Amino acid sequence: MKILIIEDEPSIRDTLRDLLELNDHTVLAAGDGPEGIALAADRPDLILCDIGLPGMDGYEVISALRRLPACQDIPFVFLTARAERDDQRRGMALGADDYITKPFTERDILDSIAARVRRQQPLRDRVEQLLTQRRTEVGANWSHELMTPLNGVLGGLELIEAEADTIEPGELKSLLGLIRAGAERQHTLSKKLVLYFELEGLKAAPPSAGTVRCAAAVSVAAGAAQAAQAERRTADLTVRCDPGHVPGYDAHLTAAVAEVVGNAFHFSPPGQPVTVTGTCQGGRYRIEIVDHGPGMTAEQRANVTAFKQFHRNHSEQQGLGLGLAIARATADLAGGRFFLTPAAPESAGLRATFDLPLLAPA
Ligand code: CA
């Protein structure tokens, strides 16, 4: 931070300068009011100003600064030997943010600075800052995907705790909204994780062949509808499925299709159709989900593994990699395949295919 000191007493000025520089602040120092006002044009982040200055006193300095458009919003803290209430009231009326009484301790100064910085910054920005910090700490591996929504929850709670006594109802509401959104994302993600591990568990100990049958058309239609409703895109969805049975559980195919159809909606703008078909042919049941969005590169398609996530900059796509991993695990478990190809040559869209064995009618 850049801090301007206006103090006529050289020993106090130098002590303050050393203290602030030791704490990584940049210091501008002035010995009287006019010099201080001139330096304030440099837009310091905070001004520490003595009241008892020769000539122009501290009250006159703040009055002058509050009239200058470029300087009127700079946080202003009085340094004063006089802690009388009247002085304080007068200073506050002139727009001072705080008082530090001389003689002061290092803690007094640093606490006052920290408080000014906090108050300057809207809470939402501070949550963002916390999140960025945590993201950096967590790193860019799969745990990122698990941790991100929870960071919003923890960051919001941390701030509410810190500000519990002074928080405005509006700020509180906004923070609670942030916490709820994070919690909901985490809930969705947890459900996906549970499903993914369930599928992995079944791979290790699969049910014996032919014992578990899934009505494909019903499950596919249910999953597609679920995704379209969640994305508010029911008007863009077309589903056309042949009746037929495939190995596996209805709930798993429904969830897998919902993930893939959800991705298709994410990658294509509203108004663009997403088509879901289920076709019986040559002993296979082929489910195809086609969108007209920007699609993926061949490299991205090859990278469809658990926890990988594409277009990471789109935060609303959290959990995408896990969704595709669920689709792949569901297909594997049924003894089939899941793969992604361009919707058509030269097309921006994506075709996701479940190629599954068709079971003989029971
Ligand atoms: Ca003085």
Side-chain angles (χ1 to χ4, degrees):
M1 255 171 74
K2 188 157 64 175
I3 300 176
L4 168 61
I5 304 166
I6 309 173
E7 167 66 68
D8 62 312
E9 181 60 54
S11 63
I12 298 179
R13 199 169 59 228
D14 292 345
T15 307
L16 270 175
R17 181 204 289 275
D18 290 348
L19 165 63
L20 295 174
E21 285 179 349
L22 271 174
N23 285 277
D24 296 325
H25 298 295
T26 305
V27 175
L28 306 170
D32 61 30
E35 193 189 348
I37 290 168
L39 287 176
D42 233 10
R43 297 271 317 155
D45 301 298
L46 175 74
I47 298 172
L48 297 175
C49 181
D50 183 25
I51 290 179
L53 292 168
M56 186 180 205
D57 71 13
Y59 299 121
E60 290 172 286
V61 172
I62 190 173
S63 302
L65 287 175
R66 291 299 183 238
R67 283 196 300 271
L68 294 173
C71 300
Q72 60 194 192
D73 59 335
I74 300 173
F76 194 100
V77 174
F78 273 127
L79 299 170
T80 175
R82 302 173 293 188
E84 275 94 40
R85 266 172 185 281
D86 279 355
D87 284 346
Q88 295 203 1
R89 235 176 269 147
R90 185 170 165 204
M92 292 300 179
L94 290 169
D97 297 275
D98 197 10
Y99 268 81
I100 298 172
T101 310
K102 292 189 263 192
F104 46 77
T105 66
E106 180 171 335
R107 226 354 64 219
D108 292 337
I109 300 281
L110 296 179
D111 284 352
S112 178
I113 290 171
R116 297 290 79 64
V117 175
R118 279 204 302 273
R119 227 164 280 174
Q120 276 300 98
Q121 232 179 349
L123 280 174
R124 242 169 205 284
D125 290 359
R126 286 160 55 195
V127 173
E128 275 307 308
Q129 212 173 35
L130 275 174
L131 295 193
T132 312
Q133 268 171 21
R134 283 171 195 266
R135 261 177 223 136
T136 317
E137 286 160 15
V138 166
N141 51 28
W142 62 264
S143 62
H144 169 94
E145 197 166 318
L146 299 184
M147 298 300 291
T148 303
L150 202 53
N151 285 340
V153 174
L154 293 175
L157 288 173
E158 218 166 277
L159 283 172
I160 289 176
E161 254 171 17
E163 309 276 327
D165 301 330
T166 53
I167 198 160
E168 305 274 339
E171 287 178 326
L172 182 61
K173 255 193 191 152
S174 138
L175 282 175
L176 288 175
L178 215 66
I179 291 171
R180 168 174 283 279
E184 278 169 359
R185 282 208 303 278
Q186 189 73 34
H187 185 233
T188 305
L189 199 54
S190 301
K191 282 197 297 195
K192 283 190 200 183
L193 265 183
V194 168
L195 174 59
Y196 177 72
F197 287 125
E198 194 178 306
L199 291 166
E200 289 294 303
L202 280 172
K203 258 195 225 175
S208 43
T211 55
V212 185
R213 298 167 61 86
C214 162
V218 178
S219 302
V220 170
Q226 193 182 308
Q229 275 158 19
E231 301 293 326
R232 299 170 198 277
R233 295 276 296 273
T234 45
D236 295 340
L237 178 68
T238 309
V239 183
R240 217 175 31 246
C241 289
D242 296 342
H245 284 81
V246 296
Y249 294 94
D250 291 321
H252 292 166
L253 188 59
T254 298
V257 168
E259 290 295 335
V260 178
V261 173
N263 288 350
F265 282 124
H266 275 306
F267 280 115
S268 64
Q272 291 270 23
V274 169
T275 310
V276 181
T277 53
T279 321
C280 298
Q281 205 174 31
R284 310 296 292 176
Y285 195 96
R286 187 178 262 256
I287 303 161
E288 291 185 315
I289 295 132
V290 178
D291 69 67
H292 300 271
M296 290 184 190
T297 64
E299 190 196 357
Q300 283 173 329
R301 284 195 298 274
N303 277 336
V304 177
T305 51
F307 308 119
K308 284 249 179 170
Q309 184 184 335
F310 306 97
H311 303 270
R312 215 176 248 284
N313 47 337
H314 294 274
S315 57
E316 71 276 11
Q317 286 160 13
Q318 278 159 4
L320 176 58
L322 195 49
L324 292 177
I326 287 168
R328 176 158 282 177
T330 303
D332 287 352
L333 200 61
R337 290 192 308 142
F338 171 77
F339 52 91
L340 300 169
T341 49
E346 310 292 316
S347 158
L350 197 67
R351 178 188 309 268
T353 304
F354 292 86
D355 177 37
L356 309 174
L358 179 66
L359 293 177

